[in-house]
């Protein structure tokens, strides 16, 4: 189990970096993530919603 924990740490860091760079790329293209302010309807992607 300890081996999996050791292997998971760099994987988490890699996923974080990919997400960060992906968000920056979308921002440069003027793409906004998330719902518009005031939207009350749930989405199938919402946690616990759908």
């Amino acid at each position: 189990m300890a081996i999996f924990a050791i292997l998971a740490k760099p994987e988490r860091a890699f996923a974080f970096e990919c997400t960060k760079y992906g968000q920056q790329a979308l921002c440069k293209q003027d793409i906004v993530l998330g719902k518009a302010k005031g939207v009350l309807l749930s989405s199938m992607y919402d946690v616990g919603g759908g």
Side-chain angles (χ1 to χ4, degrees):
M1 194 58 116
I3 293 172
F4 290 120
I6 292 169
L7 294 174
K9 188 174 183 178
E11 180 67 24
R12 284 191 299 270
F14 176 73
F16 173 77
E17 291 296 320
C18 288
T19 303
K20 182 174 74 172
Y21 291 129
Q23 287 178 337
Q24 289 173 353
L26 290 175
C27 186
K28 288 179 183 177
Q29 297 174 17
D30 293 328
I31 297 174
V32 179
L33 298 177
K35 295 180 188 175
K37 190 172 186 176
V39 174
L40 300 177
L41 298 176
S42 64
S43 167
M44 64 185 227
Y45 301 109
D46 290 338
V47 175

